[in-house]
Amino acid sequence: MDKPIRIALIPGDGVGGEVLAEALPLLAWAKTRGRSLEAVGLPYGADHFLATGETLPDAAFLDLRDRYDAILFGAVGDQRIPDGRHAEEILLKLRQGLELTVNFRPCTSILPVPPPTFDVEVFRENTEGPYCLQGFTEPGRAVDLAIHTEPAVRRLLQAAFLRAEHVCRPLTLAHKANVLKHGHGLWARIFEDLRKEHPSVAANSMHADALLCALVQDPGPFGVIAADNYLGDLISDLCAAFIGGLGVAPSISWAPHHPFRCTALAEPVHGSAPDIAGQGRANPVGMILSTALLFRHLGWEPEAAALEGAVSIALAEGAKTRDLGGTLSTAAMGKAIRDHLPR
Ligand code: GGG
């Protein structure tokens, strides 16, 4: 018998627990199909921090790094902790500490809409840039440093080139090297290097502001977009708007340079949405599609494809939460999707 895949479940804050609850039956379903896995719930989030003072203890981080294959994560963000300290020490510590350079955010039309459909995949660098948390505030000025290192930029761009090659789609680098001459200049230089190594990829780079304008006017020519942490965050949220909003957008992060020791992190793009938390109103589709990305990452392609198919069929039949103009609760939406899974 194969060693079971170990998956940590971290609901986090707000709607995180509600959407993660809809992923759990999917793990049970994968088991019925012969997949060997073990899921362990972990309490880290605002409630745990307020009760114990603990964010993500070092021992727990090391355990996640060394003894787990993946984390299914809900969301973090809680108004009771306005400086977001716990969110930084949990989510950013996981992304940075596990060196999860690649944050893959595919945005493909899943709602039954007339053509043209939207299909853009964002590769967002996930550990550096202005999110490296090295800044300070002093009287009269505030400074956020943006650090870009050659190994991380190269890893992210290499992953994006490989993906563009694999799916035979164009690759666009979003940057602002005209003003961010150092950091984004590095991105542009490495992009040019890799372009020579991947001559089959139709690769071009664009100033991010012009790219956003072009994307809204006509997303058709875009395929894969690569960007640093900050721009990738913004661009992927814009892309989510084309497919129904943040509630349906999935993501997965991994460390391509640690192929045999990498705890992958699958999480919906959305945050904790405190305005609707605890009301059963959150859309679980982003979480469920993130679970499909995790299945694919684990090599469970039939389960990933079946799950994505079940989401499409449920939506085509009119199953929708309120953010999509429907009436279903989080749990009812989860069930409407599961009803279309093969036994
Ligand atoms: N699943 C992504 C996530 O939790 N991101 C953190 C975030 O965006 N937090 C802000 C918020 O919840 O409002």
Side-chain angles (χ1 to χ4, degrees):
M1 176 109 170
D2 287 347
K3 197 161 155 275
I5 294 293
R6 279 174 61 85
I7 301 176
L9 308 167
I10 306 183
D13 306 332
V15 299
E18 295 165 60
V19 294
L20 186 61
E22 299 312 309
L24 303 189
L26 306 172
L27 302 183
W29 168 74
K31 275 188 180 178
T32 66
R33 295 173 53 90
R35 300 301 185 183
S36 175
L37 69 91
E38 199 180 298
V40 178
L42 298 175
Y44 306 112
D47 286 344
H48 184 76
F49 174 59
L50 291 170
T52 65
E54 246 178 20
T55 52
L56 177 63
D58 288 343
F61 167 76
L62 293 176
D63 202 35
L64 285 164
R65 189 190 68 181
D66 298 336
R67 299 189 51 241
Y68 283 85
D69 300 288
I71 301 166
L72 270 178
F73 194 91
V76 277
D78 189 297
Q79 286 151 332
R80 292 170 297 171
I81 310 164
D83 67 2
R85 183 183 145 204
H86 78 297
E88 277 173 17
E89 290 183 16
I90 298 170
L91 189 53
L92 295 194
K93 181 169 173 178
L94 286 173
R95 290 175 180 169
Q96 295 175 2
L98 296 172
E99 298 181 83
L100 302 174
T101 309
V102 176
N103 180 214
F104 176 56
R105 295 183 159 193
C107 263
T108 306
S109 297
I110 43 162
L111 289 163
V113 287
T117 52
F118 186 87
D119 188 7
V120 171
E121 299 181 339
V122 177
F123 276 73
R124 167 192 177 192
E125 200 290 319
N126 209 24
T127 62
E128 305 190 328
Y131 294 16
C132 63
L133 303 179
Q134 297 195 32
F136 56 89
T137 302
E138 57 186 25
R141 69 183 193 138
V143 175
D144 288 308
L145 288 180
I147 297 178
H148 306 263
T149 68
E150 177 151 355
V153 173
R154 195 169 282 280
R155 277 199 293 274
L156 185 280
L157 289 178
Q158 176 74 350
F161 268 99
L162 289 174
R163 178 67 182 172
E165 217 159 50
H166 181 68
V167 294
C168 298
R169 302 202 59 205
L171 170 64
T172 310
L173 169 68
H175 68 89
K176 283 292 286 178
N178 51 333
V179 278
L180 304 176
K181 292 188 192 318
H182 303 282
H184 284 193
L186 177 75
W187 278 81
R189 275 198 307 283
I190 296 175
F191 190 77
E192 285 311 309
D193 281 358
L194 290 176
R195 185 214 288 270
K196 292 179 201 119
E197 291 172 24
H198 299 270
S200 67
V201 176
N204 73 320
S205 55
M206 287 180 78
H207 292 151
D209 44 354
L211 181 150
L212 290 170
C213 182
L215 190 61
V216 171
Q217 285 178 323
D218 179 13
F222 291 92
V224 179
I225 297 177
D228 80 348
N229 206 338
Y230 186 36
L231 291 178
D233 195 6
L234 305 185
I235 292 167
S236 58
D237 276 24
L238 176 68
C239 289
F242 280 95
I243 63 163
L246 287 175
V248 300
S251 85
I252 187 164
S253 304
W254 69 90
H257 55 313
H258 293 308
F260 305 110
R261 185 200 61 67
C262 168
T263 308
L265 174 68
E267 55 174 327
V269 169
H270 66 72
S272 58
D275 52 326
I276 57 163
Q279 301 168 40
R281 285 175 56 180
N283 190 336
V285 167
M287 182 81 241
I288 288 172
L289 290 175
S290 301
T291 309
L293 292 180
L294 175 59
F295 287 172
R296 184 164 290 118
H297 178 84
L298 294 170
W300 302 351
E301 178 57 35
E303 285 75 18
L307 190 45
E308 287 164 349
V311 170
S312 295
I313 298 169
L315 288 166
E317 286 183 352
K320 285 183 192 148
T321 42
R322 285 164 62 164
D323 55 317
L324 299 178
T327 56
L328 293 189
S329 67
T330 311
M333 186 71 202
K335 178 169 184 318
I337 292 167
R338 291 196 297 280
D339 283 347
H340 293 290
L341 288 173
R343 299 288 143 212

